[in-house]
Amino acid sequence: MLVSAAKMLKDAKAGKYAVGHFNINNLEWTKAILLTAQELNSPVILGEGAGKYMCGFKTVTAMVDAMVDELGITVPVALHLDHGSYEGALKCIEAGFSSVMFDGSHYGIEENIEKTKEIIALAHSKGISVEAEVGA
């Protein structure tokens, strides 16, 4: 089961440990990262790195969910969109990601803030954590 990166990072701060973030680009990388996280009993953030090559965000979510189940992964796992577009963040929220990072730094500050608020409202209504970039 995927968990919110926000809770995972709060727990890490309280426990004084780090959480690794690794981009996943295919099934083999994902499997290796998940098995290593389990072996080390360490929470992990899987960063979406190649959704467009993996048939989209729904495929990535389904693959990660199935692998967590099939491999018996018990450590906390977050699936995170890193530096995503507005449209990408919305698609990842719909696809079941547990964390998104909206990079609106190329928008003017007012438009960036408005788009960020929209993403936060939708994501938080589904228990999904949000990171945003407002500067350059």
Side-chain angles (χ1 to χ4, degrees):
M1 181 172 139
L2 299 176
V3 301
S4 164
K7 177 174 180 349
M8 182 187 292
L9 295 174
K10 285 178 188 170
D11 291 347
K13 184 176 181 180
K16 300 186 187 297
Y17 58 87
V19 176
H21 173 276
F22 305 94
N23 285 339
I24 56 172
N25 292 311
N26 58 36
L27 184 139
E28 293 80 11
W29 285 24
T30 307
K31 181 179 179 184
I33 294 164
L34 287 171
L35 289 174
T36 302
Q38 184 67 32
E39 180 182 332
L40 298 174
N41 195 33
S42 177
V44 66
I45 299 170
L46 303 177
E48 184 286 319
K52 64 183 175 183
Y53 303 112
M54 295 168 66
C55 299
F57 300 125
K58 288 180 184 177
T59 301
V60 174
T61 305
M63 179 190 75
V64 171
D65 280 338
M67 291 178 81
V68 166
D69 182 50
E70 290 292 325
L71 296 171
I73 303 301
T74 60
V75 297
V77 176
L79 181 56
H80 178 72
L81 172 68
D82 199 18
H83 288 274
S85 66
Y86 177 79
E87 294 78 15
L90 294 177
K91 286 180 182 178
C92 286
I93 291 167
E94 180 183 315
F97 276 49
S98 60
S99 179
V100 295
M101 190 279 194
F102 166 55
D103 185 346
S105 60
H106 58 283
Y107 294 110
I109 190 67
E110 295 302 322
E111 185 175 6
N112 185 340
I113 290 170
E114 286 307 309
K115 288 184 180 300
T116 300
K117 285 180 180 180
E118 291 171 21
I119 290 170
I120 288 170
L122 179 59
H124 285 184
S125 75
K126 298 175 182 249
I128 298 169
S129 57
V130 177
E131 177 186 1
E133 179 137 351
V134 295

